Amino acid sequence: MNNPQGISDLSPSASSRRPVSPCTGVCEIDSDSGFCRGCARTSDEIAIWSRAPDDLLRKITAVLPARRAHLGIKIARLDWDEEEIARFMRDTLRPGKGRWVFGIDGAFGEFAIGAGEQPEVKNALTVATQAGAMRLRLPEKLRAFAFEEGKAIVMALPRGRLQPPAGVTLNAAGPDQGAIREGDRDALAFELGFGSPVARVFVRTKDQALQKRLQELEGEPWQRVLAEAGQDIREGSADRIILTSVGRMEVYARFTAPDIRQPQDPRTELQAEAIAGGREMPGEIELPKAYAPCAIFYPAR
């Protein structure tokens, strides 16, 4: 298996199974090198992939990292099948492994388990800490991509597998029956309505004053909601809930100003200007257009 640098301790063990296709949906042959600008295979290698013997596919897979480096390709599909992706997910939900990021640019949350922290384990793919919780799932056709040789791992789906985008107004969703902690299931959740097909963002609170303020704004566009109640959300007792195709993230820690935030603090953002920009991923990572991002994992350094 092709393991990018920086995630060797998290990657599933090598397998004798047939390699998966490295296609990223960018199908353009570089005229100088003869390699595809998306997957770094030659046109002949692409043509024979579905019928070539496994040993030949492994030999091709082994040379792709060097070719990608030659072409300056920053993102590559990992040679992981469904079982290996599931194993990777389980391994990340352990102390000191790294941090998950769910959401869109301007509206996202982070979850990490500190090196000395003892999380509450609900099951193999669901854990909770004092700062937040994660519930991961494995949808059909999920793909794993490595960005810049393991700087980040992106979980993505073919764009056609996404659900229709959420609405663009505040929606009172009622008690959060899907909450990971049982004690949060009577708190009221409000979807902020950013209209994204890749992530739905909610705030959840038991604070009656904040509940009333948000109920008064139900049906209003998210721009007005953040303008009129954004400060109340940031300063009040409100959890942030982010749902994507690969699961649920809950952030319990309060919003922290950048100048006083500690490195271990989970970061969360609600920035109207960035949200309005419409980028599907926070940070500098971009996926090929054929794929939609579901989550990003940053391995611990």
Side-chain angles (χ1 to χ4, degrees), residues 39-86:
C39 67
R41 292 176 295 176
T42 67
S43 56
D44 288 342
E45 290 166 348
I46 294 170
I48 67 168
W49 191 271
S50 62
R51 63 181 187 276
D54 293 1
D55 287 348
L56 177 56
L57 296 187
R58 293 189 192 99
K59 290 178 181 178
I60 296 171
T61 299
V63 301
L64 294 183
R67 293 180 185 177
R68 289 194 293 264
H70 173 74
L71 293 171
I73 298 172
K74 292 187 175 182
I75 197 157
R77 183 181 171 187
L78 291 169
D79 181 25
W80 296 356
D81 63 9
E82 181 177 293
E83 180 181 340
E84 289 161 327
I85 292 176

Side-chain angles (χ1 to χ4, degrees), residues 1-14:
M1 177 182 303
N2 169 28
N3 287 335
Q5 294 177 348
I7 60 165
S8 58
D9 61 328
L10 290 171
S11 303
S13 58

